[in-house]
Amino acid sequence: MISIEQLSVDFGSTSLFDNIGFLINPKEKIALVGKNGAGKTTLLKLIAGKIMPTRGRIELPKDLTIGYLPQHMIHNEGTTVLEETEKAFEYIHTLQHEIETLGLELAARTDYESEDYHRIIDKLSHAQEYLQIINQGNYQAEIEKTLIGLGFNRTDFDRPCAEFSGGWRMRIELAKIILQQPDVLLLDEPTNHLDIESIQWLESFLINANSAVVLVSHDRAFIDAVTTRTIEISLGKIYDYQVNYSKYVELRKERYEQQMRAYENQQKMIQDTELFIERFRAKATKAIQVQSRIKQLEKLERIEVDIEDHTHMNLKFPPAPHSGIIPVEIEHLSKAYGDLLVLDNIGLIINRGEKVAFVGKNGAGKSTLVKCIMQEIPFSGKLKLGHQVKIGYFAQNQASLLDENLTVFETIDQAAVGEIRTKIRDILGAFMFGGEASDKKVKVLSGGERSRLAMIKLLLEPVNLLILDEPTNHLDMRSKDVLKEALKAFTGTAVIVSHDREFLDGLVDKVYEFSNKKIREHLGGIYDFLHHKKIESLQELEINMPSSKPLQSQDLSPQEKNVSDNKLSYEARKEQNRKIRKAERDVSEVEMEVEQLEAALNAMQAELQHPEKASDSDFILKLHQKQRALDQKMYEWEILTEILNNLKTE
């Protein structure tokens, strides 16, 4: 059990937490929610012992173990995936060394009846029992099972960690934490770098885990499935609900209505009191009463209501311009990068008004097909856009195309048409640009803020075909709700690339799965697709899952190896290996360049905290040039990674 008592955290004159307290019980699954900036990540760091509170305390049992996964971390270098993951079991080697030391100590002693001798025996016995319980002979299979569950292939195990992107290296850290089996798991946005299948695996693991879990996530379906308790942080206080997220939303609405009634009653009382003071301040006969009312106001504990939290917006698109019956028609389309075939003879038809999802593992060709539809890259085959189709496209680099000299309000004001112009302030508030934030220049916004602004701008333009690539990555739940309702009411056609199940649920009526250079059409919603995929995955699991024996025992017989080797001639295999090595070098070089750009960008963003830098136009220009260079390099990395993954699956 973890006890948080009278906890307060101050940043200068601002209080993030004000005298909060709650308990975390064994095996409890808790969702930590609140708007951006409420303090969710800070609270996880406090529990993990990474930072200290201003006041109050956090009491933990002496032998309690905590596994903490932050959003951002420094990754270790110089190890392979398997070597890095094996660090989760370093305690086994420590325990074995302790057993050896205790054995040698016992052998050297002759005081068989002494208290110390019996203490050593008890300690040795406990250590041996514990070693037997954790079953050190099977940890290799556990490592393999966990890594495969998180999306790694067996061919990845011996690759250096440095060859992987930040998202995949985060998966390695998550695997290490899971394998350590801590008493408490603190996870900050663990699904950000996972595809749908890996999210499902993690979801199943956490549901059945013996650890307590405290989870921060914007994936509503994920936290709804995993957690049974919801703790909301709002205005420096916490509100504890012994229910999952869906039930919390209902209860929170009731709480807010009660708060508003109390707030309105108090405001009326304050107004009446102030009116009395002003009216009778000058009358000597009322002096005592006036002073009493003044003291009453001074002692009054003001009721606060998080107005932004309850803001409800119904964002509606302008009517979609009329288009042909079939906005997108594809026949026999193939796309290759050099000798590498990414999409092979695919075909699909998207009808007017349909909302479809593109899903699949990273590198399966989703982005490639989107770029084909956008006519950004050449391809073979037929791709026809319907009559009068106007495309609105949101990509990850979309934010870099905004006019940096405009304010947030001006950016949206230029894009808005019709009645929606009267609600610009409300729309901006729903997407976390309320109040003074709407008057900020685009050039001083963070990457996430720019992405949200680009999304709002796109959604207000009169288009009839929307193509959205991971549109929810930088949106909190309220903003996602606004976007989802707007898309549901959108009269045009939408293609959505996303791993957010809750966002896709009830939004799309067709799913296209990308796998092995092909696409497969699934009629129905995202959960219909996942139901079928779960069956398929279980079948695949029976084929691919390792036994409880170490990895070495899974080797094929010589006869089997010969059969496999004969599938390709020696020269063909030699050429294939050469291509893979070259692709790996290319990916590694680009990843190093990405890391250098990210480091430089982080340093510049840190400098941006100084007022003189924030107002330096040359510095701001250099900052955005660096951001654009990073976006371009990330696009290059995506292409090269896609090429490498396809080479390895051939």
Side-chain angles (χ1 to χ4, degrees):
M1 179 188 293
I2 298 176
S3 176
I4 295 161
E5 302 176 8
Q6 299 178 326
L7 195 73
S8 297
V9 175
D10 300 332
F11 293 108
S13 60
T14 306
S15 179
L16 185 62
F17 299 124
D18 183 20
N19 199 33
I20 65 172
F22 61 94
L23 298 176
I24 301 173
N25 299 305
K27 301 184 181 181
E28 205 166 28
K29 309 296 190 290
I30 301 172
L32 203 57
V33 302
K35 67 180 183 180
N36 287 359
K40 301 185 296 293
T41 295
T42 301
L43 186 53
L44 289 185
K45 288 180 178 179
L46 287 163
I47 298 171
K50 303 298 181 182
I51 59 176
M52 298 302 294
T54 308
R55 295 175 301 280
R57 62 184 182 271
I58 300 175
E59 293 188 353
L60 299 86
K62 186 177 180 182
D63 57 347
L64 186 85
T65 56
I66 295 177
Y68 171 52
L69 181 76
Q71 287 194 49
H72 310 285
M73 62 174 58
I74 300 172
H75 302 280
N76 293 324
E77 305 288 347
T79 56
T80 66
V81 171
L82 193 60
E83 289 169 346
E84 186 63 31
T85 312
E86 282 179 340
K87 290 181 180 180
F89 294 96
E90 283 183 346
Y91 65 92
I92 289 178
H93 305 297
T94 304
L95 192 58
Q96 288 173 331
H97 178 72
E98 182 184 354
I99 290 171
E100 291 174 6
T101 303
L102 290 170
L104 291 171
E105 188 176 348
L106 279 178
R109 298 180 73 115
T110 57
D111 53 336
Y112 306 121
E113 301 299 326
S114 70
E115 191 175 321
D116 281 349
Y117 188 86
H118 286 282
R119 180 183 56 78
I120 296 170
I121 290 177
D122 290 340
K123 194 173 181 181
L124 177 61
S125 177
H126 177 77
Q128 289 173 331
E129 288 175 3
Y130 184 55
L131 187 61
Q132 188 176 1
I133 290 170
I134 62 178
N135 190 14
Q136 81 270 19
N138 196 37
Y139 75 88
Q140 197 78 17
E142 289 298 317
I143 290 174
E144 186 174 349
K145 182 171 68 174
T146 304
L147 288 173
I148 290 173
L150 290 172
F152 290 92
N153 297 316
R154 288 186 179 87
T155 54
D156 295 327
F157 292 177
D158 295 322
R159 290 176 59 193
C161 293
E163 292 184 3
F164 290 85
S165 67
W168 282 96
R169 291 159 83 176
M170 186 69 76
R171 295 191 191 200
I172 298 172
E173 297 297 328
L174 179 57
K176 286 164 62 178
I177 293 171
I178 289 171
L179 288 164
Q180 288 168 355
Q181 299 182 353
D183 299 314
V184 181
L185 279 166
L186 308 176
L187 306 178
D188 196 351
E189 296 287 359
T191 64
N192 272 1
H193 305 289
L194 303 181
D195 55 33
I196 286 180
E197 289 188 8
S198 297
I199 291 173
Q200 286 184 297
W201 181 90
L202 180 61
E203 180 183 290
S204 178
F205 171 84
L206 293 176
I207 290 171
N208 297 299
N210 288 322
S211 308
V213 178
V214 183
L215 180 66
V216 176
S217 177
H218 287 157
D219 188 330
R220 183 177 300 176
F222 180 71
I223 64 172
D224 229 10
V226 172
T227 63
T228 56
R229 178 183 172 192
T230 306
I231 295 178
E232 179 194 6
I233 304 174
S234 178
L235 296 174
K237 301 187 182 298
I238 66 159
Y239 299 90
D240 199 343
Y241 299 83
Q242 300 294 325
V243 294
N244 66 4
Y245 184 83
S246 295
K247 292 290 185 183
Y248 148 77
V249 172
E250 299 174 8
L251 295 174
R252 185 184 170 280
K253 183 180 179 183
E254 296 175 7
R255 191 198 86 217
Y256 173 76
E257 291 172 352
Q258 293 171 356
Q259 283 183 324
M260 279 303 297
R261 286 195 294 270
Y263 173 79
E264 290 168 356
N265 290 335
Q266 188 181 70
Q267 289 299 305
K268 186 178 184 304
M269 185 273 290
I270 292 172
Q271 187 179 3
D272 292 344
T273 303
E274 289 175 341
L275 186 63
F276 178 91
I277 293 170
E278 188 64 30
R279 183 178 178 184
F280 297 107
R281 187 184 295 273
K283 291 190 176 183
T285 55
K286 298 284 188 179
I288 295 174
Q289 291 175 282
V290 168
Q291 288 301 314
S292 176
R293 300 291 177 93
I294 292 173
K295 289 180 181 179
Q296 182 185 351
L297 286 182
E298 289 174 350
K299 294 178 180 178
L300 184 67
E301 186 175 343
R302 305 288 176 117
I303 296 173
E304 291 183 286
V305 181
D306 198 341
I307 303 296
E308 190 177 71
D309 273 354
H310 84 278
T311 302
H312 181 68
M313 265 299 301
N314 289 315
L315 174 60
K316 293 184 179 179
F317 297 134
H322 188 72
S323 70
I325 297 176
I326 302 177
V328 181
E329 183 177 2
I330 297 173
E331 295 180 6
H332 307 297
L333 186 146
S334 297
K335 173 59 186 174
Y337 296 101
D339 296 331
L340 175 66
L341 189 63
V342 179
L343 297 171
D344 182 20
N345 196 31
I346 66 169
L348 62 84
I349 292 176
I350 299 176
N351 297 306
R352 184 175 63 202
E354 282 187 329
K355 312 286 192 310
V356 304
F358 284 0
V359 302
K361 293 186 175 181
N362 294 338
K366 303 186 298 294
S367 298
T368 296
L369 184 58
V370 166
K371 289 179 172 60
C372 291
I373 297 173
M374 296 299 300
Q375 308 291 323
E376 291 183 357
I377 55 175
F379 56 87
S380 62
K382 179 182 177 183
L383 193 156
K384 181 182 177 183
L385 295 179
H387 180 61
Q388 292 186 338
V389 167
K390 184 177 181 182
I391 300 176
Y393 177 42
F394 179 85
Q396 292 303 308
N397 66 341
Q398 198 70 29
S400 63
L401 305 177
L402 297 171
D403 189 337
E404 296 181 347
N405 295 314
L406 296 178
T407 66
V408 170
F409 182 87
E410 290 168 343
T411 302
I412 302 306
D413 189 45
Q414 287 188 358
V417 294
E419 284 185 19
I420 202 72
R421 289 177 61 89
T422 63
K423 299 181 179 178
I424 290 176
R425 295 281 184 191
D426 292 332
I427 295 168
L428 291 174
F431 280 83
M432 295 176 287
F433 288 114
E436 296 178 358
S438 64
D439 298 321
K440 287 183 179 178
K441 292 279 189 181
V442 172
K443 60 186 177 184
V444 302
L445 298 179
S446 68
E449 289 172 327
R450 289 188 176 210
S451 295
R452 294 202 306 273
L453 185 61
M455 176 61 67
I456 302 171
K457 185 174 181 290
L458 172 64
L459 298 181
L460 295 177
E461 294 173 352
V463 300
N464 47 33
L465 175 59
L466 280 170
I467 301 177
L468 309 178
D469 190 359
E470 296 292 354
T472 64
N473 270 1
H474 296 290
L475 303 182
D476 66 3
M477 292 182 184
R478 288 179 56 252
S479 300
K480 286 198 291 186
D481 287 342
V482 173
L483 173 58
K484 182 176 178 177
E485 291 304 314
L487 285 170
K488 287 167 70 173
F490 178 53
T491 56
T493 310
V495 176
I496 304 160
V497 183
S498 178
H499 67 267
D500 191 326
R501 296 164 294 169
E502 193 278 332
F503 181 74
L504 294 174
D505 183 34
L507 176 58
V508 301
D509 40 40
K510 189 185 294 183
V511 177
Y512 287 101
E513 179 192 8
F514 287 67
S515 179
N516 297 323
K517 309 179 185 64
K518 301 289 187 180
I519 61 172
R520 182 179 176 186
E521 182 182 87
H522 297 264
L523 298 177
I526 187 65
Y527 281 100
D528 294 320
F529 162 73
L530 291 175
H531 175 72
H532 294 299
K533 278 301 292 178
K534 191 171 183 180
I535 296 171
E536 293 174 12
S537 296
L538 286 173
Q539 293 170 343
E540 295 167 3
L541 199 63
E542 292 174 359
I543 298 170
N544 297 326
M545 268 314 272
S547 71
S548 60
K549 297 180 181 179
L551 184 61
Q552 289 80 357
S553 67
Q554 307 298 318
D555 292 342
L556 299 174
S557 67
Q559 293 82 3
E560 291 173 316
K561 286 184 178 179
N562 289 335
V563 171
S564 178
D565 289 346
N566 290 332
K567 289 181 181 179
L568 291 171
S569 69
Y570 172 76
E571 290 297 328
R573 284 187 285 110
K574 185 177 178 181
E575 177 64 18
Q576 182 77 353
N577 290 334
R578 186 192 65 78
K579 290 179 180 178
I580 290 174
R581 286 195 300 272
K582 183 181 182 302
E584 287 176 341
R585 285 195 303 271
D586 292 342
V587 169
S588 182
E589 288 172 3
V590 173
E591 284 181 345
M592 289 179 64
E593 293 177 28
V594 167
E595 287 182 2
Q596 291 170 358
L597 286 167
E598 286 179 337
L601 193 61
N602 289 336
M604 294 181 73
Q605 288 174 338
E607 290 186 59
L608 200 61
Q609 303 301 317
H610 302 292
E612 64 273 13
K613 289 291 186 182
S615 58
D616 187 344
S617 58
D618 291 338
F619 180 80
I620 298 296
L621 178 62
K622 290 178 182 177
L623 179 67
H624 294 309
Q625 287 173 342
K626 190 72 70 175
Q627 181 64 61
R628 283 193 289 271
L630 177 60
D631 291 340
Q632 182 60 39
K633 194 59 65 176
M634 284 299 298
Y635 174 69
E636 186 179 343
W637 174 83
E638 288 175 6
I639 296 297
L640 291 171
T641 302
E642 197 168 343
I643 292 172
L644 177 60
N645 289 339
N646 280 278
L647 279 169
K648 288 183 174 182
T649 56
E650 286 186 345

